Amino acid sequence: MLFNEIQKTALTNNKNKYIKSILIPFSALLITVIITVITYLFKEVTGAYINDNLSGNYLLALRGGRCLYFISAGILAYVFFCAVTTGEEALYSGRAERKKYCFRRFMYWMKPTLSLKAAGLHFILFTLKTFWTIIFFIPVIAVVFVIIATAFSGGIELYLFISLCIGALILSVIGFTFRFIIIQRYFLANYLLVSNPDIGIVQCIKQSINLLEGHIFTVVKFKLSFLPHILACLLILPVFFVYPHYKQSRTIIAKQLIV
């Protein structure tokens, strides 16, 4: 299926469902804001006690409890975010298959065990993407280090400074391009998990890499085809259309690549 056909199919699948689709990320954002406000208030209240009233063991206990709360809140927020992301994929997958009660597929991933599994997959994918980012940006880091070291060791000529900056910029573009291409190997991992919740996390990643062998540039071209739509989101209002449309289109092409 061509990209324009994919987008037409996505429009059909999302027909009269755009408001419902955008409510999911906005609800997640609202919950995140509420958690942030509660965390801030907790910090302010406990901070007042730490500064003014307590000392010794009580102070140590309060600081420990405060730290534990921040860590727990951060982990819970991360798990919730991962569950929402995976649940969204399940919802759009149901629409692509013309299934009924797609919202139930979203809620299915709110179960604690499945939420933790989704969080585990996202964490491993984040780690892998971070690894490739570091690998491809090592040359840029080296050039920036040379610029800083030279500047602090006795100055640097203007023409040399400009040349090094241009070189760092070119290396950044090259590094970002290669990084963008290689991480597409993991494009199908989340969809594989949604298709089969019993599959292992590592198996999802391995299958994604295997299935995308020879098809990585198909994913790259698909994402680049949405670049004008994404740029239009700078005007804010197009987000309400582009976000569900892009997510549904991703699901359709993912299903084609999995088959």
Side-chain angles (χ1 to χ4, degrees):
M1 189 183 294
L2 299 175
F3 293 155
N4 60 342
E5 294 175 341
I6 289 173
Q7 294 200 32
K8 288 179 181 178
T9 304
L11 287 171
T12 302
N13 292 343
N14 279 339
K15 189 175 181 180
N16 300 324
K17 299 173 184 174
Y18 283 96
I19 295 178
K20 292 181 181 179
S21 300
I22 209 69
L23 280 176
I24 293 175
F26 271 88
S27 298
L29 179 62
L30 178 61
I31 292 173
T32 302
V33 170
I34 292 172
I35 292 174
T36 303
V37 171
I38 292 173
T39 302
Y40 174 78
L41 293 175
F42 178 81
K43 177 184 175 183
E44 291 298 310
V45 172
T46 55
Y49 277 99
I50 288 174
N51 293 333
D52 300 330
N53 300 330
L54 297 180
S55 61
N57 293 333
Y58 291 103
L59 179 62
L60 183 63
L62 183 56
R63 283 178 173 171
R66 191 186 190 198
C67 182
L68 181 62
Y69 170 81
F70 290 146
I71 293 173
S72 300
I75 292 174
L76 287 173
Y78 177 75
V79 172
F80 172 73
F81 168 79
C82 295
V84 169
T85 302
T86 305
E88 269 192 314
E89 306 296 359
L91 182 146
Y92 287 110
S93 178
R95 286 183 186 173
E97 297 171 3
R98 305 297 177 88
K99 296 285 184 69
K100 294 182 179 180
Y101 311 115
C102 293
F103 189 71
R104 290 183 182 178
R105 298 166 69 97
F106 169 79
M107 293 304 299
Y108 176 74
W109 287 94
M110 296 299 110
K111 296 179 180 179
T113 53
L114 292 171
S115 296
L116 289 172
K117 191 169 189 178
L121 176 60
H122 279 79
F123 178 76
I124 293 177
L125 290 175
F126 173 79
T127 303
L128 289 169
K129 291 176 182 180
T130 301
F131 168 77
W132 288 116
T133 301
I134 293 171
I135 290 297
F136 287 116
F137 278 85
I138 284 176
V140 180
I141 296 170
V143 172
V144 172
F145 178 78
V146 169
I147 294 174
I148 295 173
T150 307
F152 279 94
S153 63
I156 182 173
E157 296 291 337
L158 180 60
Y159 73 90
L160 180 58
F161 175 77
I162 294 173
S163 300
L164 288 172
C165 288
I166 293 173
L169 179 62
I170 292 172
L171 288 172
S172 297
V173 173
I174 294 173
F176 176 81
T177 301
F178 278 99
R179 184 256 184 199
F180 174 72
I181 292 171
I182 201 166
I183 65 172
Q184 303 313 316
R185 302 192 304 167
Y186 314 121
F187 177 75
L188 296 176
N190 214 29
Y191 297 97
L192 289 166
L193 181 63
V194 167
S195 301
N196 181 12
D198 295 326
I199 194 174
I201 293 174
V202 175
Q203 191 177 354
C204 283
I205 296 171
K206 287 182 177 179
Q207 284 190 15
S208 177
I209 293 171
N210 292 335
L211 287 169
L212 286 171
E213 188 72 34
H215 298 288
I216 288 179
F217 282 98
T218 300
V219 179
V220 170
K221 287 187 286 186
F222 164 75
K223 289 190 173 182
L224 290 177
S225 70
F226 264 89
L227 190 58
H229 298 76
I230 294 170
L231 291 175
C233 290
L234 294 174
L235 301 175
I236 306 301
L237 286 178
V239 172
F240 295 91
F241 168 79
V242 173
Y243 180 81
H245 183 54
Y246 175 66
K247 297 287 283 189
Q248 187 66 67
S249 299
R250 276 175 58 107
T251 302
I252 295 170
I253 193 171
K255 288 189 171 295
Q256 291 182 355
L257 293 169
I258 290 174
V259 175

